[in-house]
Amino acid sequence: MSNDKYAPKPEHKFTFGLWTVGNRGADPFGTQVRAKLSSVEIVEMLAEVGAYGVNFHDNDLVPIDSTAAEQDAIVRDFKKACDDNNIKVPMATVNLFYEPIFRDGAFTANDTRVRAYAVQKTMRAMDLGAEFDAETFVLWGGREGVETDACRKTTDAIKRFREALDYLCEYSKSQNYGYKFALEAKPNEPRADIYFPTTGAYLAFIETLENKEMVGVNPEVAHEQMPGLNMSHAVAQAWEAGKLFHIDLNDQVPGRYDQDLRFASVSPKQSFWLVKFLEDVGYQGMRHFDAHAYRTEDYDGVKDFARGCMKTYLILKDKAERWNKHEEIGSILAEIEGANKDNHVGSFTQDGAASLLSRQFDRAEIASKGLKYERLDQLTMDILFGVD
Ligand code: GLT
Ligand code: MN
Ligand code: MN
């Protein structure tokens, strides 16, 4: 079949959360439209569509009021399902946003009991993930924010968040879990304003941690695009800092509520640059789809959604290879490279600075020549449209 090259394989590292394909279509204005699937059924579905792994929040797998015996049974059944279906658990996370106790935040809440409970809940979620050999632990602080800044000093929130992270890193070390923490930013929703609204904000914060080498980021397409930012730029900055520990792929119209749409279904061109970046640099981590099917769908539609995420990724990967090999694109890139070659200022030296200060620049001449970016972009479009 001509489409076989777009079939997902384990080496593609495609993963989904229990909460993504298990999403039942509820929204703030309407109730669930799909029946609840068990975690085991979700694993079977992921195996059927060709995913590599499954991720979960503590309470996606183990309901919050479960007894120890219930938890043991759930873990046993889920482990068996993962083994039987050859599905891995590369990432675990903790739900610090659903329960009323987190209405004022979790690690940043004003009540010390809430903060202590949030750390305890995270430690237990880390224990749970470790049972499945999860390597990455994602922290999305959905409730770490405000409706009114009257409630606390923002600097206190930052200090509290740091204290929690420092504690959790030490806990991971004490248990030999080997976790890498990946912090996931989002500017708003469900809070009016969430602290650390962008991936860049987290990258700066991480440098202030006691165990900063254990902590990186988990950028999400939708969360960068909600405020109109460029996801590829956020990812590139994280990568360049050695901090791209995980990634959440989906899609989003800028300026709207968090849509979590099928990967690349809204912005194929931006998604192309993202896939091209990940493939060009040799990102080895998981390609996690943090998205869900339209509310119009039944579970066949959910499979269409999941298959669509993976297929589109592979199509864009294929297009990126085509782009990299394209002759005319190559010659324009060579010209760009040519302009980048000579007379760079280099590192600062006294002599170099003196010579730079005395150098003459012919501004008109330098600015006179077209840069061919229009052509370059149209060639990109031709590839994306499949006419080249
Ligand atoms: C929630 C959120 C996602 C996060 C998940 C991890 S939970 O679905 O919208 O972006 O990645 O906590
Ligand atoms: Mn999202
Ligand atoms: Mn996410």
Side-chain angles (χ1 to χ4, degrees):
M1 241 174 52
S2 64
N3 273 345
D4 268 357
K5 66 176 173 174
Y6 303 128
K9 299 200 183 69
E11 68 259 30
H12 298 133
K13 305 278 168 63
F14 291 137
T15 64
F16 292 84
L18 282 182
W19 70 94
T20 65
V21 280
N23 178 287
R24 298 175 60 196
D27 66 24
F29 302 95
T31 190
Q32 288 94 343
V33 294
R34 292 184 281 270
K36 186 172 171 50
L37 291 187
S38 70
S39 305
V40 168
E41 287 170 317
I42 294 175
V43 166
E44 288 164 356
M45 188 204 293
L46 289 178
E48 183 186 336
V49 298
Y52 169 78
V54 65
N55 307 312
F56 54 76
H57 297 86
D58 49 355
N59 304 136
D60 299 337
L61 186 61
V62 183
I64 193 158
D65 288 320
S66 306
T67 63
E70 284 163 349
Q71 168 154 348
D72 288 348
I74 291 169
V75 166
R76 193 188 55 231
D77 292 350
F78 191 65
K79 232 179 220 165
K80 182 168 183 320
C82 290
D83 290 347
D84 291 351
N85 291 283
N86 198 21
I87 291 284
K88 307 279 182 290
V89 180
M91 178 270 264
T93 181
V94 58
N95 187 324
L96 297 177
F97 43 87
Y98 191 81
E99 293 292 320
I101 189 173
F102 299 129
R103 71 212 152 117
D104 184 41
F107 300 150
T108 62
N110 285 336
D111 187 328
T112 53
R113 294 168 303 174
V114 176
R115 303 211 296 275
Y117 174 65
V119 172
Q120 180 205 66
K121 192 171 192 291
T122 306
M123 291 158 73
R124 291 189 174 150
M126 290 165 64
D127 299 342
L128 183 63
E131 290 201 52
F132 293 89
D133 299 322
E135 292 167 357
T136 306
F137 198 90
V138 163
L139 285 168
W140 173 63
R143 294 282 170 196
E144 315 288 10
V146 296
E147 283 69 45
T148 169
D149 281 314
C151 70
R152 74 179 69 79
K153 291 185 204 145
T154 309
T155 45
D156 283 345
I158 296 167
K159 287 183 197 339
R160 291 171 187 172
F161 202 84
R162 179 183 300 118
E163 190 178 74
L165 257 292
D166 286 342
Y167 196 99
L168 294 167
C169 286
E170 289 301 333
Y171 181 64
S172 180
K173 290 202 297 192
S174 74
Q175 301 295 111
N176 281 319
Y177 285 157
Y179 275 124
K180 293 214 156 200
F181 291 90
L183 308 182
E184 178 177 343
K186 187 176 181 183
N188 57 272
E189 199 192 317
R191 302 308 296 267
D193 289 286
I194 299 178
Y195 300 124
F196 308 107
T198 61
T199 297
Y202 267 140
L203 287 172
F205 168 74
I206 288 167
E207 292 306 306
T208 71
L209 297 174
E210 272 169 21
N211 293 283
K212 60 181 176 185
E213 69 292 341
M214 292 173 66
V215 187
V217 289
N218 177 39
E220 171 170 318
V221 176
H223 299 178
E224 299 295 325
Q225 290 190 181
M226 280 170 74
L229 300 178
N230 184 318
M231 170 69 168
S232 294
H233 292 189
V235 167
Q237 192 187 354
W239 174 263
E240 206 268 339
K243 293 294 186 189
L244 188 63
F245 288 3
H246 201 262
I247 192 165
D248 276 2
L249 302 170
N250 54 17
D251 215 347
Q252 170 77 30
V253 179
R256 302 208 180 162
Y257 65 93
D258 183 18
Q259 295 176 304
D260 290 337
L261 294 166
R262 192 176 76 259
F263 179 57
S265 57
V266 172
S267 31
K269 189 176 175 190
Q270 287 95 318
S271 307
F272 166 74
W273 295 123
L274 177 60
V275 170
K276 181 168 147 39
F277 179 83
L278 294 174
E279 297 301 320
D280 284 352
V281 298
Y283 169 73
Q284 296 293 315
M286 297 301 132
R287 275 88 173 150
H288 175 232
F289 297 105
D290 187 9
H292 50 75
Y294 304 147
R295 194 162 185 263
T296 50
E297 304 308 291
D298 60 11
Y299 280 109
D300 282 333
V302 172
K303 288 181 207 168
D304 290 335
F305 147 82
R307 290 191 175 107
C309 286
M310 298 185 284
K311 181 174 182 184
T312 300
Y313 186 100
L314 294 174
I315 293 170
L316 293 177
K317 181 178 175 208
D318 200 40
K319 301 271 178 200
E321 278 165 30
R322 170 108 194 90
W323 198 96
N324 287 341
K325 284 194 213 132
H326 193 281
E327 216 173 298
E328 190 178 347
I329 289 176
S331 72
I332 299 174
L333 294 182
E335 274 185 55
I336 294 173
E337 197 38 43
N340 179 39
K341 265 203 185 96
D342 303 320
N343 291 324
H344 182 254
V345 295
S347 304
F348 181 87
T349 60
Q350 286 295 354
D351 287 353
S355 124
L356 178 58
L357 285 167
S358 63
R359 193 165 144 196
Q360 298 295 319
F361 294 93
D362 185 342
R363 298 201 310 275
E365 193 275 327
I366 292 170
S368 66
K369 194 165 166 290
L371 297 179
K372 300 200 179 144
Y373 296 169
E374 283 284 2
R375 181 72 187 143
L376 192 54
D377 190 75
Q378 185 59 40
L379 290 168
T380 305
M381 297 307 292
D382 289 354
I383 289 176
L384 288 179
F385 287 137
V387 297
D388 190 351

